[in-house]
Each structure stands twice: as C-alpha cells, then as structure tokens.
Amino acid sequence: MTSVMRSCGGDARGGCRFLSCDILGGRKASAAHRKRSPTSRSGFAVRTGTRGAVCRGAAQCDAASSHGDVESPTTSRRMLLSKSATASAAMALLAAISPQAFWPALAESSTLRSLTPEELDDVRKTVKSAIPQAKAPAVIRLAFHDAGTYDRRTRTGGANGTIRNELERPESIGLKRGIKAVEAAIAKSPNVLSQVSFADAVQLCAAACIELLTPDDALATSRVLDAMRVGRVDAPIDASDPTGRMPSEKAGATELARVFDEQYGFDENRMVVLSGAHTVGAKGFGDGFTFDNAYYQVLLAKPWVGGDDMAQMIGLASDKSLADYARVRPLIEKYANDGLAWSRDFVDAFRAMSELGC
Ligand code: HEM
C-alpha cells in the first residue's frame, strides 16, 4: 500500500496521474485531494500554469492519508496487497525508464515570470505598510526555510509554501513572527500578494524586506525585488516537506558546503554569498537591521577569538566555521572590501534560492 501512495501524483482536478495508482482516474482521487488541497487563488495572471494544487508524492504531500480517507472500508487486505505488488512492479519499471515518471508532478515545471512595474510597486508599498522593520529579518529567514528543504536528487521540497506547517520544528524557532508578518501583508494587499501562491508571497515579502533593510541605494539589494519571479505552485495546504533538510547551525563549513551542493546544486561561493544575509538579525554582525556587507568584515575580525563572553555570542558556529575555511577566505576578503560586488552576487543567489524546486 505504501508504495502505491508514494507513487501518487494526483492533483486537485484530475485525480491521480500515476499509472498504477489504485485510485487512478478521477472521482475518488478528486474528492480526496479536494479535501486536502489549498483554496485556489485563481484569477491572477501568474496562475498561468495548467496545474492546480499539485501533489508531489509522499515526500511532499500526505497523499497517504488522503487516500486512506477514500478507500472503501470493505476493500479487502488481499486486494490491497495485490494492487500494491502490481504498483511496486510498475513503479520500479517507470523509475528505471525515467525518474520524472517516478515523480510525475515534477515533470511539469512551474511557469515563472517577472513582475510588471505596477506589480513591483504594489508589493513594495504593501510590505512597507504591513511589515515593521523589526520583523523583516524573520521574513528573510522564512524564505530560506521554505526553499531550503529542496533536494535536487529527488526533486522534492523547495519553495512550495509548506513552511507554514513546519513551524514546530527545532530549526524554525523564531519563524512564527515571520509567517505572521507575511500573512499580514497578504491580508493588506489589494493585488499581487493576495493573488499569488503562498510560496510566491513568502519569497516576494522576503525580497521586499531585504530592500527595506538596505539603506544604501547604490547596493543592488535595494532593488532585489526586480529580479524576483512569480508562479511557484503551493503544495497541498497541510503538506510538509521531509525533516532534516535544513543545514544545521552547528555544521562546519565542509558540511554546509555538502548540503548546498548536494541538495541545492549551489557551489561554495554561492553558499558564502547567501550566508551574508546573517548581516541582519541578532547575531551581532552589524546593527541587526542594516542589510550590507558587515557580515564579511566581522568574519575577518573574528571578535569571538579571545573575546569576552559578549564577543563569544557573536555569530553562529556555522558562520565561525566559514571564517576559518581557507578555500573561501579570498571571497570573504573581497566582499568585506566591496559591498557592491556582494550585493550584486546576493541578488543573483537569492533569486536562485527563491526558485529552488520550481
Ligand atoms: C548557511 C546555512 C544557514 C544556517 C545554518 C542558518 C541558521 C540560522 C540560525 C540558527 C538563525 C537564528 C540565529 C539566532 O538565534 O538569532 C539564523 C538567523 C537568520 N538567518 Fe540563517 N542560516 C543559514 C543560512 C541563511 C540564509 C541562506 C539566509 C537567507 C538568505 C538566512 C537568513 C537568516 C536571517 C535573516 C536571520 C535572522 C533572523 C531573525 O533575526 O529573526 N540564513 N540562521
């Protein structure tokens, strides 16, 4: 049975699309997924894709329980086992032929597009009026936590809005205020934020928050929203991504690099660029609310080495390990001396991060 469920690629409109799924063909699957799918936010230009709320398999979606909801109570265990065996064989065959057939929903990619100047203006104004500066760092971090569950090897997770169901995880401490801020912006939005997917709204709000915290107009991060695109597809409303995918704050540089490479396909440079987001927040890299290259200057200064108790509190273990990672030292020196170069690279890296899994 489990293998049948894992193979489900059902969607809200058409039933399960996996060949051997035992609720293939529509009515039952449709009912099950309607129960579990996010409310459609239709009527906005960004919903150009043909998909509704798409179930991306058991790793992302709780299709197992959905299917359980619609199984006939009279279905015999033997029948299920026999169907399961058939399904397993078909799955093995499909997996051998094509990994995309194994993860059917991912065969279709999101249709991403840039925002118009009017839409950019709308998002900027909404976020400025709805999200106080004090909550902006939590929103930026929220965007990383929604996208950072991506695993390119299975093509699961990513920027799909599941972060709202992952707030009780240990790595999510402090993110509830980020979610509340995004929800406030959506509620206040006359146009874009209330009409795009939740996953889009998280990433757009984060980009607008980065702009809010970038006081220097010369830095590229003061216009990071311009680089953003919309069209991410939300996972079912109560789905969550697999646990254990976010990099640990206790990780050393090589472990961080492994996660960024294996899961995201990002090289060490991009990892260092993105880590510069820690310039804001309470870890002491700057004033906490100014999005600039202070992070790299503090990494070079290493105040925690031989410093007092207060100095020891600066930075996470993962940040400190970057400071000691010889391979990225030239890049840290470059960004410490050239905030403009970092801000340009950050915009590029943040857009890529925001589209993980899309
Ligand atoms: C490299 C791996 C990363 C690890 C291990 C990590 C871990 C953490 C942790 C544990 C905190 C909470 C610190 C505290 O107690 O105050 C934090 C804060 C933060 N992180 Fe990361 N992070 C990583 C990468 C990123 C990335 C890629 C971004 C965004 C692009 C980001 C954005 C933030 C922000 C903005 C904060 C401050 C949040 C606030 O003050 O509410 N982090 N990070």
Side-chain angles (χ1 to χ4, degrees):
M1 209 36 218
T2 312
S3 58
V4 176
M5 290 161 179
R6 190 172 293 126
S7 68
C8 170
D11 65 36
R13 295 157 295 114
C16 289
R17 289 178 289 168
F18 185 66
L19 288 176
S20 57
C21 178
D22 62 353
I23 58 172
L24 174 74
R27 238 168 12 107
K28 282 186 190 173
S30 210
H33 285 287
R34 259 202 306 279
K35 255 179 140 175
R36 301 255 161 196
S37 296
T39 314
S40 162
R41 295 165 175 232
S42 56
F44 187 66
V46 299
R47 306 293 291 179
T48 50
T50 52
R51 284 190 288 170
V54 175
C55 166
R56 294 184 175 187
Q60 240 189 354
C61 148
D62 57 354
S65 55
S66 299
H67 289 194
D69 288 342
V70 295
E71 284 294 350
S72 157
T74 55
T75 307
S76 77
R77 183 173 159 73
R78 190 181 303 164
M79 249 177 78
L80 292 177
L81 286 173
S82 121
K83 283 179 180 176
S84 177
T86 314
S88 300
M91 276 175 64
L93 184 64
L94 276 174
I97 297 166
S98 153
Q100 289 202 336
F102 198 66
W103 297 101
L106 294 176
E108 298 172 62
S109 60
S110 306
T111 308
L112 297 175
R113 68 158 180 89
S114 304
L115 288 94
T116 65
E118 294 74 29
E119 288 165 352
L120 290 169
D121 198 40
D122 176 74
V123 175
R124 285 191 173 105
K125 280 188 183 140
T126 306
V127 169
K128 201 170 182 178
S129 70
I131 303 184
Q133 203 191 48
K135 291 187 180 169
V139 175
I140 299 165
R141 187 172 171 225
L142 187 75
F144 175 50
H145 282 242
D146 197 30
T149 54
Y150 184 58
D151 188 336
R152 66 185 172 128
R153 294 162 295 188
T154 53
R155 302 176 69 203
T156 54
N160 56 12
T162 56
I163 186 63
R164 56 188 153 184
N165 302 320
E166 296 159 8
L167 297 175
E168 301 306 325
R169 296 180 180 182
E171 70 269 24
S172 298
I173 291 172
L175 289 181
K176 280 184 186 160
R177 60 206 311 263
I179 281 271
K180 282 184 184 154
V182 170
E183 286 170 350
I186 292 172
K188 209 166 187 176
S189 168
N191 295 311
V192 182
L193 292 177
S194 57
Q195 291 163 345
V196 292
S197 63
F198 186 73
D200 278 340
V202 167
Q203 300 300 330
L204 293 182
C205 285
C209 282
I210 289 170
E211 292 191 0
L212 282 183
L213 299 181
T214 307
D216 184 348
D217 288 348
L219 294 180
T221 45
S222 68
R223 304 289 297 177
V224 60
L225 203 54
D226 292 347
M228 300 297 282
R229 300 193 294 174
V230 285
R232 294 168 192 78
V233 177
D234 282 343
I237 190 98
D238 55 358
S240 48
D241 288 331
T243 54
R245 289 192 174 180
M246 295 307 298
S248 164
E249 63 177 290
K250 296 188 182 126
T254 47
E255 170 61 9
L256 287 180
R258 185 193 65 75
V259 173
F260 272 68
D261 172 28
E262 289 183 5
Q263 279 186 218
Y264 312 151
F266 290 173
D267 64 14
E268 288 176 341
N269 286 7
R270 193 162 257 186
M271 171 182 80
V272 171
V273 171
L274 285 169
S275 297
H278 285 176
T279 192
V280 295
K283 277 296 162 186
F285 289 102
D287 67 14
F289 295 102
T290 303
F291 211 82
D292 61 11
N293 62 337
Y295 177 79
Y296 303 97
Q297 291 161 354
V298 176
L299 284 191
L300 288 183
K302 294 189 188 175
W304 49 84
V305 177
D308 59 15
D309 285 355
M310 285 297 282
Q312 302 290 330
M313 299 290 286
I314 295 172
L316 301 167
S318 54
D319 297 314
K320 292 173 188 171
S321 76
L322 283 187
D324 292 328
Y325 193 36
R327 288 160 58 105
V328 297
R329 172 88 183 188
L331 195 61
I332 291 173
E333 285 171 357
K334 176 183 163 187
Y335 290 149
N337 293 317
D338 188 348
L340 193 54
W342 167 69
S343 71
R344 285 192 190 123
D345 290 348
F346 185 88
V347 167
D348 184 48
F350 187 78
R351 187 202 51 74
M353 185 205 85
S354 82
E355 294 178 5
L356 283 173
C358 299

